[in-house]
Amino acid sequence: MHKKRIAFAGLVAVTAMGFTACASGGSAADGGKTTIVWNMWAGDTASEQKLKDQMAVAQKLVGDDITIELQTAPWADYFTKLNTNMASGKVACVTGMNGQRLAGYTDVFDELTDDDLSTMGISRDAYNPGALSVMENGGKLYGLPYDTAAMLLFYNADLFAKAGAPLPTNDWTIDDFEKAASDITAKAGAKGFAVSVDEFQWLSLPMAETGLQPVDESGALDLTNPDFVEAATRYGDLVTKLGVSDAVPSASDSAWTTTQFENGKAAMIIEGTWMASTLTSPDLGFSAGAVRIPRGSDGAYGVALGSGYGIAANCENKEAALKVLGALSSPDVQSVIAQQGGYPAQLASQPEFFTALPDATRDNLTQAFTAAFEGAVSQRVTDQWTQVATAMPNELVSVYTGQATMSSVLDGLEQRFGK
């Protein structure tokens, strides 16, 4: 989905249970029950509790004959552990997968057939195509999304008022964005924007300006497309030339951008819809809102993101795993996700997300979400995209600190991973 702060990105590392194989049969110790292990990422106690609350609902749906066992790891460690389990053939029966990483992990999962969906009581019509696409690769469905996401521009309305700048709108252009960022930096005692080292937190503006993705329609890495390089350079210039953002101090400090915003040091940031409740909360101490990503000269452009769960190819009890996946993908659990502040993947549950929002932000976020998802296209990735995304932060820091140019960084990434 979502990579998340609670599900798609840069979570604070905490001690987590290690990953184990999917237990597929009963034993005397568990009274003959089948245990299905569900592996998922969670970076803090609150995130893990949300998963436990979802699991409690799913457990009631599958009944007493199956026990769901949740095991988690922080996002920063999740794929390392998954790679280890892949090598040993011990991937958990139900395994979480970020849609932007799926291309490199299709061997982990069984393809979900129409018969499988029928067994789970799940219909393709329950999702919009953009939501399902995050768990598809090469025309095959490898899992079911639990959420769907897009990127938004969040803003501190108090800093805009202090600078005498008009608030952002869903029709904003990138030129509008840059002017406001400059005005706030000059007049409000804060930076107008905070750049990021996270992939879609920084890629969104260059994509919006050009209507291009870093992977072309043939599936090849396309970071050196001249138009994309120019737009990406413009993003780096927000630090090095316009001075409307400070440089991210460290590639490992993926929470720096949101901290700048939450502390009132930056008036705008780009983050995912999964952060909407947090970044517009009244607890921030200032009025905040969100709009879609500013558009380029060719109109608005955005991608649909998300995460989901699949059935491991090594699972010894696929029938039980399908029951668990069906329960975790049920309308009942989708409703829990909505109440928790996540944007559900299934269309019928999405209105519950908006109902659960505070009165003060409901109208603003409803309009922002509607605009962000309108016309959103599927994100394209290569088999090497995980490596590309992992390498990006260090390279971006070197751009922000003036040690490298955006052009050289993008060229270097394509040389390394554009195979």
Side-chain angles (χ1 to χ4, degrees):
M1 290 186 87
H2 47 93
K3 61 189 176 185
K4 292 192 168 187
R5 292 275 180 260
I6 37 184
F8 265 57
L11 295 168
V12 178
V14 295
T15 302
M17 292 180 288
F19 285 7
T20 64
C22 171
S24 58
S27 67
D30 62 15
K33 292 182 178 181
T34 296
T35 297
I36 295 296
V37 176
W38 169 31
N39 276 350
M40 186 54 185
W41 52 84
D44 52 35
T45 302
S47 299
E48 187 161 350
Q49 186 59 52
K50 288 182 178 181
L51 296 176
K52 289 179 179 178
D53 291 343
Q54 295 168 31
M55 183 176 67
V57 174
Q59 184 65 70
K60 291 180 180 179
L61 293 174
V62 299
D64 295 335
D65 293 336
I66 299 173
T67 298
I68 306 173
E69 180 182 327
L70 173 66
Q71 296 184 0
T72 65
W75 173 267
D77 300 331
Y78 184 82
F79 288 93
T80 300
K81 292 179 181 290
L82 179 57
N83 291 340
T84 299
N85 288 338
M86 286 173 60
S88 61
K90 296 181 178 180
V91 177
C93 273
V94 178
T95 290
M97 177 52 56
N98 173 256
Q100 290 66 65
R101 303 289 189 271
L102 176 62
Y105 289 92
T106 53
D107 289 345
V108 171
F109 300 105
D110 266 348
E111 178 187 356
L112 291 180
T113 65
D114 288 341
D115 286 343
D116 292 334
L117 295 178
S118 179
T119 296
M120 291 186 286
I122 299 294
S123 169
R124 289 179 180 269
D125 293 339
Y127 306 86
N128 64 41
L132 273 183
S133 70
V134 302
M135 295 303 294
E136 291 178 328
N137 186 266
K140 297 179 179 180
L141 182 66
Y142 289 98
L144 291 175
Y146 61 83
D147 73 349
T148 187
M151 304 306 291
L152 297 174
L153 178 75
F154 292 90
Y155 62 86
N156 180 328
D158 293 4
L159 288 175
F160 272 78
K162 189 174 181 180
L167 290 178
T169 72
N170 289 307
D171 294 321
W172 244 24
T173 67
I174 293 177
D175 287 342
D176 294 330
F177 157 76
E178 285 191 353
K179 183 180 186 307
S182 295
D183 288 345
I184 289 167
T185 302
K187 301 174 183 178
K191 291 295 185 180
F193 184 64
V195 296
S196 179
V197 294
D198 289 337
E199 54 190 302
F200 287 97
Q201 284 78 354
W202 89 268
L203 284 170
S204 291
L205 269 181
M207 287 194 297
E209 182 171 355
T210 60
L212 298 170
Q213 294 193 36
V215 175
D216 66 21
E217 293 183 0
S218 74
L221 198 62
D222 196 25
L223 290 167
T224 56
N225 180 298
D227 290 338
F228 188 83
V229 171
E230 182 178 353
T233 299
R234 185 176 182 181
Y235 182 89
D237 287 348
L238 295 171
V239 179
T240 56
K241 291 188 177 180
L242 290 184
V244 300
S245 173
D246 288 326
V248 182
S250 168
S252 62
D253 195 358
S254 59
W256 179 85
T257 302
T258 52
T259 300
Q260 292 290 103
F261 183 76
E262 291 171 337
N263 290 344
K265 295 181 179 180
M268 293 180 285
I269 62 170
I270 289 174
E271 254 298 349
T273 50
W274 56 89
M275 288 291 285
S277 296
T278 300
L279 296 179
T280 60
S281 169
D283 296 335
L284 290 171
F286 55 83
S287 297
V291 294
R292 71 166 305 148
I293 301 298
R295 58 184 172 84
S297 58
D298 293 331
Y301 186 86
V303 298
L305 307 171
S307 297
Y309 311 124
I311 305 296
N314 63 229
C315 182
E316 297 177 6
N317 194 332
K318 183 176 179 180
E319 181 180 355
L322 284 171
K323 289 181 179 179
V324 172
L325 178 56
L328 289 171
S329 304
S330 68
D332 289 350
V333 174
Q334 287 278 283
S335 179
V336 173
I337 290 171
Q339 295 297 318
Q340 292 173 340
Y343 195 52
Q346 292 181 9
L347 295 168
S349 298
Q350 290 173 358
E352 296 183 64
F353 169 84
F354 298 108
T355 301
L357 291 172
D359 292 343
T361 58
R362 185 178 298 119
D363 287 347
N364 170 258
L365 290 179
T366 300
Q367 293 171 20
F369 273 59
T370 300
F373 283 102
E374 184 177 356
V377 299
S378 300
Q379 187 228 344
R380 298 188 292 266
V381 296
T382 69
D383 289 348
Q384 293 79 31
W385 185 254
T386 299
Q387 294 97 306
V388 176
T390 301
M392 277 182 179
N394 277 317
E395 302 291 346
L396 289 169
V397 169
S398 70
V399 173
Y400 301 151
T401 56
Q403 297 174 308
T405 65
M406 185 67 80
S407 176
S408 66
V409 160
L410 295 178
D411 183 67
L413 289 170
E414 186 152 315
Q415 291 294 324
R416 290 166 63 187
F417 302 112
K419 301 176 181 178

